[in-house]
C-alpha cells in the first residue's frame, strides 16, 4: 500500500474541509450570521439573533421534584439502612440501661440515641451519596439541566432528613419507655428532626461535595457520625474539657440538648428554643456552604 | 448554528498517589474548530482518549475551555456556560443520578427539572416511554434493568422536554438491535418534526456510517478530518480491505503469504491488509487456490470503512468498534 499517496490525499481533504467550514450555510428557520465564523468570545450578541432559551426550572417546583425523586430512592436503597440506624440506637440504649439508672444521664442517653439516627442518615449517608454522585459523574445529570443548585442540595438534604423521622420517633419512644421518661413532650421531635436534620444534612452534603475523593467523603461522614454518637450519647458532665468543647461545636449536640430538656419534670422552654435556634442557624450556614460546594463540583 | 473555534483544554498533571501513578498534563483538546449545521446529525468519531468527551463536556457547559470560543444558536457558551442547559438535551455516559429511580420517575423528573409543569412533564413522559417501547418496564428501577435497557431509559429521560439540540454521548452502548433502531427512529422523528440538531459521540464506525450526516474524526485532541461519511470514504476508495484469520500461524514459507506479510497489520492470528482491488483479487485467488488455504481459518474482502479512513489519516490502530 502506498501510504504517501493516502497521507497526501488526507492533507488535501483537510484543506477542503477547512474551506467548507468557512462556508456557513443558511438553512431551516434560523439565521446564521456570516461573521459567526470568527467568533472569539466577543461581547454579548444582540438578542434578536439568538434562539430563545428554554425556561429555567423554578426553585420550589425543582426542589419538590428533587425531594420526591430522592424520597423514592428510599424504597429501593435506603430501607435496610434505616433499620440499621434504628437498631443501632436502640441497641445502645439497651446497653446503657445496665449502667445508667435515671436522671440527667438517662435523659442524655435517650436524646443522644434518638438524634444519632438523624446523624447516621442525614450526615453519614448524605455525605456518602454526594461523594458517590460526584465521583461517578452523577452530578453531570443535574448540571446539564437548568435547575437552581439550591434546589438540588435542599431537595436531597430535605429527603434525607425526612428518611430519619420514623427511626428517630421509634428510638425516642422506645428509650422513653425503657428509662421511664415522660412521653408527653415528644412532639418536640416535630421541630428537632427537621432542624437538626437540616443542620446535619447540610453538613453531610458539604462534606460529600468538598471531599476531593469519594473514600474521603465516606470517611468524613463516618467520623461525623461517630462524633455524634460519642459526644451525644455520653452525658456532658462526664467529659473532659477538650471533648466538651468538641461537643459544643457539633451541630447535633443542640438537637440532643433540646430533646433532653423536654424530658425534665419542668421543661425550660427558653433553653429548648435557644438550642433549636442554634440548629436553625447552623442549618442555614451549612446548606449555603453545600450549595456553593455543589456549584464548584458541578462545573470544572 | 454551532461554531467551535480553536478550543483548547488541558488536564493538569497529577502527582503519584498510592495505587495511582503520576500522570503528565494531557492536552485533551488541542485547537478544535468545527461548524455544525442546523438539523444535521453530526458525529464525533475517535478512539478512547481522542478528546471527544472533553469536547462534549465543554459544549454542554460542564467544563470551561482554557481557550477558544463556542457559539451555539447565537449564544456564547464560553462566557455563559449556564445557557447550555437551556438549549441542549444531554445524554451522558453515566446514569448514577437516575439509577435508583423508576424509568417513569426518571423521565418525569428530568422533564420537571427542564422547567416543564407537572401535567406537561407527565404527558411528555408517557409519549416518550411509548415511543421507545419502555411502557412495560416503566415501574422498574433503572438499577434492576439490563445495561441496554438502562441506557434506553436514560435516553428516554434525555428526550423529555423539547430542546433544539441533542448531545448524545455513545447513546447505544450495550443495546440490542431493536433498542438501537428505536433510538435512531426517535432521533430521526425529532429531526424531521422539530429540526433538532444532533451531536453524536461514537467510536462505532458502522453506526457512524449509517446514521451520521457529517463526521469529525478526532485523534489526540485534534480534528484530523471532517466530511460526510461517503466523502471521507472516497479518500480510500482506491483500496479494498482484506482480512485474514489464520488457524494457528501464517504459513510464511508460501511465497504469496510472505509477500503479503510486509504490508499486513498483524494482531495475533488476524491480518488486515488494505490493497489495490486488482492486487486483492489476485491475492485471494492465490490464497484460496494454493497450499495457504489449509492454514486459513476465515477471510473477508470488503470495501473500506471509516476505520480504514481513520487509519489512512494517521490514526492509531484499534480503539474503534465495528459492530
Amino acid at each position: 500500500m502506498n501510504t504517501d499517496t493516502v497521507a497526501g490525499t488526507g492533507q488535501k481533504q483537510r484543506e477542503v474541509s477547512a474551506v467548507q467550514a468557512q462556508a456557513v450555510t443558511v438553512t431551516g428557520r434560523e439565521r446564521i450570521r456570516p461573521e459567526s465564523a470568527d467568533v472569539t468570545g466577543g461581547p454579548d450578541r444582540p438578542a434578536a439573533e439568538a434562539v430563545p432559551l428554554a425556561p429555567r426550572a423554578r426553585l420550589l417546583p425543582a426542589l419538590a421534584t428533587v425531594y420526591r425523586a430522592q424520597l423514592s430512592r428510599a424504597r429501593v436503597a435506603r430501607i435496610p439502612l434505616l433499620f440499621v440506624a434504628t437498631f443501632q440506637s436502640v441497641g445502645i440504649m439497651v446497653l446503657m440501661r445496665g449502667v445508667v439508672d435515671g436522671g440527667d444521664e438517662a435523659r442524655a442517653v435517650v436524646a443522644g440515641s434518638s438524634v444519632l439516627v438523624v446523624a447516621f442518615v442525614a450526615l453519614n449517608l448524605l455525605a456518602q451519596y454526594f461523594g458517590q454522585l460526584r465521583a461517578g459523574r452523577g452530578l453531570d445529570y443535574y448540571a446539564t439541566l437548568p435547575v437552581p443548585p439550591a434546589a438540588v442540595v435542599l431537595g436531597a438534604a430535605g429527603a434525607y432528613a425526612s428518611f430519619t423521622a420514623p427511626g428517630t420517633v421509634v428510638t425516642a419512644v422506645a428509650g422513653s419507655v425503657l428509662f421511664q421518661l415522660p412521653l408527653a413532650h415528644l412532639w418536640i421531635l416535630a421541630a428537632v428532626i427537621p432542624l437538626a436534620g437540616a443542620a446535619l444534612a447540610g453538613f453531610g452534603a458539604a462534606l460529600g461535595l468538598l471531599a476531593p475523593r469519594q473514600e474521603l467523603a465516606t470517611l468524613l461522614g463516618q467520623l461525623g457520625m461517630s462524633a455524634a454518637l460519642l459526644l451525644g450519647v455520653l452525658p456532658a458532665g462526664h467529659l473532659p474539657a477538650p471533648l466538651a468543647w468538641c461537643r459544643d461545636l457539633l451541630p447535633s449536640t443542640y438537637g440532643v440538648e433540646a430533646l433532653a430538656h423536654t424530658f425534665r419534670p419542668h421543661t425550660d422552654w427558653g433553653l429548648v428554643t435557644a438550642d433549636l435556634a442554634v440548629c436553625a442557624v447552623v442549618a442555614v450556614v451549612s446548606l449555603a456552604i453545600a450549595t456553593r460546594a455543589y456549584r464548584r463540583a458541578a462545573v470544572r | 448554528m454551532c461554531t467551535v473555534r480553536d478550543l483548547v483544554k488541558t488536564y493538569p498533571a497529577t502527582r503519584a498517589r498510592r495505587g495511582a501513578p503520576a500522570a503528565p498534563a494531557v492536552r485533551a483538546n488541542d485547537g478544535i474548530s468545527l461548524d455544525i449545521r442546523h438539523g444535521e446529525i453530526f458525529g464525533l468519531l475517535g478512539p478512547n482518549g481522542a478528546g471527544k468527551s472533553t469536547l462534549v463536556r465543554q459544549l454542554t457547559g460542564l467544563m470551561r475551555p482554557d481557550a477558544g470560543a463556542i457559539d451555539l444558536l447565537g449564544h456564547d457558551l464560553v462566557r455563559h456556560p449556564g445557557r447550555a442547559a437551556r438549549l441542549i438535551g444531554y445524554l451522558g455516559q453515566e446514569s448514577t443520578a437516575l439509577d435508583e429511580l423508576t424509568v417513569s420517575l426518571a423521565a418525569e423528573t428530568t422533564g420537571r427539572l427542564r422547567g416543564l409543569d407537572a401535567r406537561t412533564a407527565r404527558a411528555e413522559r408517557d409519549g416518550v416511554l411509548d415511543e421507545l417501547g419502555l411502557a412495560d418496564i416503566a415501574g422498574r428501577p433503572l438499577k434492576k434493568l439490563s445495561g441496554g435497557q438502562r441506557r434506553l431509559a436514560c435516553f428516554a429521560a434525555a428526550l423529555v422536554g423539547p430542546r433544539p439540540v441533542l448531545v448524545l454521548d455513545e447513546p447505544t452502548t450495550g443495546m440490542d438491535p431493536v433498542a438501537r433502531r428505536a433510538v435512531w427512529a426517535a432521533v430521526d422523528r425529532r429531526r424531521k418534526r422539530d429540526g433538532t440538531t444532533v451531536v453524536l459521540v461514537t467510536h462505532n464506525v458502522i453506526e457512524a456510517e449509517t446514521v451520521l450526516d457529517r463526521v469529525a474524526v478526532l485523534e489526540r485532541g485534534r480534528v484530523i478530518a471532517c466530511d460526510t461519511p461517503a466523502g471521507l470514504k472516497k479518500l480510500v476508495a482506491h483500496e479494498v480491505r482484506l482480512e485474514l484469520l489464520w488457524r494457528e500461524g501464517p504459513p510464511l514459507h508460501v511465497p504469496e503469504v510472505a509477500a503479503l506479510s510486509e504490508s499486513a497489520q498483524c494482531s495475533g492470528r488476524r491480518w488486515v491488509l488494505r490493497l489495490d482491488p486488482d492486487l486483492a483479487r489476485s491475492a485471494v485467488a492465490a490464497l484460496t487456490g494454493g497450499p495457504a488455504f489449509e492454514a486459513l481459518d476465515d477471510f473477508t474482502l470488503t470495501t473500506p470503512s471509516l476505520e480504514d479512513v481513520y487509519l489512512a489519516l494517521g490514526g492509531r490502530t484499534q480503539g474503534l468498534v465495528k459492530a
Side-chain angles (χ1 to χ4, degrees):
Chain A
M1 190 181 81
N2 187 343
T3 44
D4 287 340
T5 323
V6 174
T9 327
Q11 187 63 48
K12 219 177 287 168
Q13 183 61 40
R14 265 167 275 171
E15 282 158 17
V16 167
S17 44
V19 171
Q20 281 175 344
Q22 302 295 329
V24 181
T25 43
V26 180
T27 45
R29 281 168 284 168
E30 54 147 336
R31 292 187 297 135
I32 299 173
R33 287 148 290 110
E35 69 270 21
S36 68
D38 48 55
V39 179
T40 45
D44 282 1
R45 283 156 204 299
E49 295 195 345
V51 165
L53 298 165
R56 267 184 238 275
R58 281 173 300 126
L59 178 67
L60 288 178
L63 197 156
T65 306
V66 174
Y67 178 82
R68 186 176 157 222
Q70 291 292 341
L71 215 55
S72 91
R73 290 179 57 232
R75 265 179 291 168
V76 179
R78 292 284 95 87
I79 284 177
L81 289 171
L82 277 180
F83 274 111
V84 172
T86 312
F87 283 144
Q88 171 182 273
S89 288
V90 172
I92 287 167
M93 290 192 303
V94 171
L95 209 68
M96 295 297 273
R97 183 73 185 89
V99 191
V100 171
D101 311 322
D104 268 350
E105 294 182 346
R107 287 189 274 273
V109 168
V110 176
S113 303
S114 305
V115 175
L116 177 62
V117 180
V118 182
F120 183 92
V121 178
L123 199 165
N124 180 24
L125 293 187
L126 191 57
Q128 285 186 33
Y129 174 68
F130 271 120
Q132 172 207 342
L133 208 57
R134 194 180 154 195
R137 288 201 165 166
L139 287 179
D140 289 3
Y141 170 76
Y142 291 109
T144 51
L145 297 171
V147 43
V152 179
V153 173
L154 292 177
Y160 273 71
S162 311
F163 293 157
T164 68
T168 312
V169 171
V170 167
T171 309
V173 170
S176 302
V177 172
L178 204 61
F179 288 87
Q180 284 121 37
L181 296 174
L183 293 161
H185 294 316
L186 279 188
W187 56 263
I188 196 71
L189 285 175
V192 171
I193 294 174
L195 290 173
L200 289 167
F203 215 48
L207 289 179
L209 290 165
L210 288 172
R213 276 186 295 156
Q214 187 185 356
E215 306 82 48
L216 217 55
T218 306
L219 184 75
L220 290 174
Q222 297 275 9
L223 281 178
M225 190 194 67
S226 305
L229 165 67
L230 293 173
L231 303 175
V233 174
L234 298 179
H238 297 204
L239 295 173
L243 280 184
W245 297 332
C246 290
R247 185 176 186 275
D248 291 344
L249 286 176
L250 208 66
S252 64
T253 303
Y254 300 91
V256 175
E257 294 275 322
L259 183 56
H261 286 312
T262 64
F263 288 133
R264 288 174 194 280
H266 305 289
T267 306
D268 183 342
W269 292 106
L271 282 177
V272 174
T273 314
D275 281 326
L276 290 178
V278 174
C279 282
V281 171
V282 173
V284 170
V285 172
S286 65
L287 286 168
I289 294 173
T291 303
R292 278 188 72 94
Y294 166 83
R295 267 183 219 271
R296 219 190 64 151
V299 179
R300 270 170 282 180
Chain B
M1 83 121 229
C2 175
T3 53
V4 175
R5 285 290 169 270
D6 304 320
L7 212 60
V8 175
K9 179 74 193 177
T10 308
Y11 294 113
T14 54
R15 275 184 303 166
R17 279 211 207 99
R18 210 157 24 132
V26 177
R27 197 163 240 228
N29 281 177
D30 190 4
I32 288 189
S33 294
L34 290 172
D35 286 87
I36 301 167
R37 297 173 195 151
H38 182 86
E40 75 177 346
I41 303 186
F42 187 89
L44 300 171
L45 177 74
N48 291 334
K52 309 183 298 283
S53 290
T54 304
L55 174 58
V56 159
R57 290 178 73 76
Q58 294 170 93
L59 274 180
T60 50
L62 287 170
M63 206 178 250
R64 301 281 188 110
D66 298 336
I70 303 170
D71 182 287
L72 180 66
L73 296 163
H75 297 275
D76 179 351
L77 292 189
V78 176
R79 182 170 290 211
H80 308 286
R83 291 186 186 173
R86 299 163 72 185
L87 295 166
I88 294 173
Y90 173 60
L91 173 66
Q93 286 186 25
E94 307 292 339
S95 63
T96 331
L98 298 175
D99 271 348
E100 283 150 346
L101 306 185
T102 62
V103 174
S104 154
L105 189 59
E108 186 186 337
T109 299
T110 310
R112 291 286 279 149
L113 296 181
R114 285 217 171 104
L116 299 182
D117 63 65
R119 183 185 301 195
T120 319
R122 280 197 286 271
E124 286 222 13
R125 168 200 71 190
D126 293 341
V128 169
L129 294 189
D130 281 340
E131 182 183 0
L132 294 173
L134 287 169
D136 292 342
I137 54 166
R140 291 178 58 191
L142 265 71
K143 218 179 178 176
K144 306 255 165 94
L145 301 177
S146 72
Q149 281 177 320
R150 193 183 313 156
R151 199 82 192 117
L152 192 60
C154 289
F155 176 69
L159 292 185
V160 179
R163 287 288 184 271
V165 182
L166 288 174
V167 175
L168 311 173
D169 196 342
E170 296 181 10
T172 56
T173 309
M175 284 186 189
D176 64 19
V178 179
R180 278 169 199 247
R181 273 198 293 278
V183 167
W184 300 128
V187 165
D188 215 41
R189 216 166 286 133
R190 271 153 194 77
R191 184 156 73 134
K192 288 207 178 99
R193 190 185 63 200
D194 314 322
T196 307
T197 306
V198 183
V199 178
L200 179 79
V201 175
T202 183
H203 55 221
N204 184 325
V205 289
I206 301 295
E207 206 157 82
E209 283 174 26
T210 47
V211 298
L212 298 179
D213 295 319
R214 285 193 312 138
V215 56
V217 185
L218 266 73
E219 168 74 6
R220 295 174 209 251
R222 290 172 171 277
V223 177
I224 55 173
C226 180
D227 202 345
T228 60
L232 286 177
K233 276 162 64 170
K234 271 195 198 135
L235 285 179
V236 286
H238 57 283
E239 292 178 338
V240 291
R241 178 190 177 97
L242 176 63
E243 276 191 50
L244 306 172
L245 187 68
W246 302 106
R247 277 183 210 283
E248 277 155 15
L252 290 169
H253 59 273
V254 181
E256 289 91 344
V257 176
L260 287 177
S261 74
E262 285 160 24
S263 52
Q265 271 180 345
C266 314
S267 52
R269 295 184 295 130
R270 186 164 162 263
W271 279 17
V272 178
L273 297 126
R274 268 174 296 278
L275 300 169
D276 178 85
D278 291 333
L279 261 175
R281 219 172 293 127
S282 57
V284 168
L287 288 171
T288 52
F293 192 56
E294 291 295 309
L296 204 57
D297 196 21
D298 194 10
F299 75 93
T300 51
L301 187 63
T302 51
T303 51
S305 70
L306 280 182
E307 187 184 14
D308 300 292
V309 176
Y310 169 74
L311 293 173
L313 288 169
R316 288 164 292 163
T317 41
Q318 283 110 28
L320 294 178
V321 174
K322 286 180 79 181

